[in-house]
Amino acid sequence: MHTKRILIVGLGNYTHPLTRHSVGMVILDHIAQQLNMTWTLQRNWKAVSANGKFLVTDKSHSRSTDPVNSVTTELDITLLKPRLLMNVCGPSVAKAVADLKVPLSNLYVIHDDLQRPLAKVSLKNGGSANGHNGIKSVAKHLRTDDFKRLRIGIGRPPKDIDDRSFDVVADFVLGKLTEAEMKALQESVYPLLTGDALNSLCLKETLAQPPKASKAPKVRKPKPTSVDSETDTSESPENL
């Protein structure tokens, strides 16, 4: 049986939980809860981590006439929340990668993205950090940008104040997630990292399709009914 070791990192400021900038850690807390994982302090990594091993059976066939081939894989999943500040979190991630001997192809870093609408998710393999200082720090200490990122949209500040200045953006990303924003994450992001969707990400390196918004049922107008005046005249003026 094949074992696949996975490291999933949630970026954020550990001392400032539940902020937009720490959305990666919010997502990681959800994954840990779903997998019944327990967080443990890792002093050598300057982080907290959680670990679990799970057997996953992938059933696939190339043609409809082929027998189903079942392949069972043991997923050895480690979740990591650096305790260093976002901008200097790279050493924490690099140390964990080295100690766990995780191939960079099995490293996923979850982080916030100002350029995407709230709760929109995309999977990116390598490339530019797009100005994200946490990703820059990770790439610097890994000495490569060849690792996967899960970018979680947090939207931008309200239009009436979004002048793209540092102060306005900083106040926004460091602000607490609102109840409505948390609900959007729960409805649109959590399902992509739960159960079979998480297994697909770890095994096939593909992101599940986001759930479609449910449509309100159409209400049909009742057809007008005609009243036969010859058979029902109880309400006619002549009978009152």
Side-chain angles (χ1 to χ4, degrees):
M1 180 175 59
H2 173 63
T3 297
K4 187 172 186 179
R5 183 167 290 171
I6 303 289
L7 176 60
I8 306 177
V9 179
L11 295 189
N13 290 314
Y14 187 78
T15 55
H16 293 77
L18 298 177
T19 64
R20 297 181 183 93
H21 210 27
S22 297
V23 72
M25 293 184 175
V26 173
I27 302 300
L28 230 56
D29 283 335
H30 164 73
I31 297 175
Q33 182 181 32
Q34 292 297 309
L35 298 180
N36 294 317
M37 290 181 172
T38 302
W39 293 106
T40 304
L41 177 64
Q42 300 290 346
R43 296 186 185 278
N44 290 340
W45 299 347
K46 297 180 180 178
V48 294
S49 72
N51 176 264
K53 296 180 180 180
F54 311 91
L55 294 180
V56 178
T57 300
D58 180 31
K59 297 180 179 181
S60 60
H61 50 76
S62 56
R63 296 188 302 270
S64 59
T65 56
D66 290 342
V68 174
N69 296 317
S70 297
V71 178
T72 299
T73 301
E74 181 185 62
L75 290 179
D76 185 351
I77 300 176
T78 299
L79 309 179
L80 183 79
K81 294 195 291 187
R83 298 178 72 244
L84 299 172
L85 291 176
M86 171 81 86
N87 294 358
V88 292
C89 67
S92 176
V93 179
K95 179 65 172 170
V97 168
D99 288 353
L100 294 172
K101 296 180 173 58
V102 174
L104 291 182
S105 58
N106 294 350
L107 170 64
Y108 295 84
V109 180
I110 307 176
H111 67 90
D112 60 305
D113 191 343
L114 268 170
Q115 308 309 320
R116 279 174 170 68
L118 176 64
K120 295 296 182 182
V121 185
S122 69
L123 177 62
K124 180 182 180 182
N125 190 7
S128 169
N130 292 328
H132 195 285
N133 290 326
I135 294 296
K136 288 180 181 179
S137 181
V138 172
K140 175 183 177 181
H141 289 273
L142 289 177
R143 298 183 179 181
T144 179
D145 61 8
D146 189 17
F147 55 90
K148 297 179 183 66
R149 307 96 188 261
L150 273 173
R151 301 178 290 184
I152 312 297
I154 60 171
R156 293 197 61 84
K159 290 183 179 180
D160 57 336
I161 63 170
D162 188 10
D163 59 3
R164 296 185 177 269
S165 66
F166 175 82
D167 289 342
V168 168
V169 171
D171 286 346
F172 177 74
V173 299
L174 296 177
K176 291 282 188 179
L177 288 160
T178 66
E179 184 177 343
E181 288 170 330
M182 282 298 300
K183 183 178 180 181
L185 294 175
Q186 293 164 1
E187 292 179 349
S188 299
V189 180
Y190 287 7
L192 305 182
L193 296 168
T194 302
D196 290 341
L198 180 62
N199 293 340
S200 179
L201 179 67
C202 294
L203 287 176
K204 302 178 181 179
E205 303 176 5
T206 57
L207 191 63
Q209 292 297 316
K212 294 182 179 180
S214 58
K215 295 182 179 180
K218 293 183 179 180
V219 178
R220 295 184 178 182
K221 294 182 179 180
K223 294 181 179 180
T225 56
S226 59
V227 177
D228 189 343
S229 59
E230 293 183 358
T231 58
D232 184 7
T233 59
S234 59
E235 295 294 322
S236 64
E238 290 82 357
N239 295 325
L240 295 179

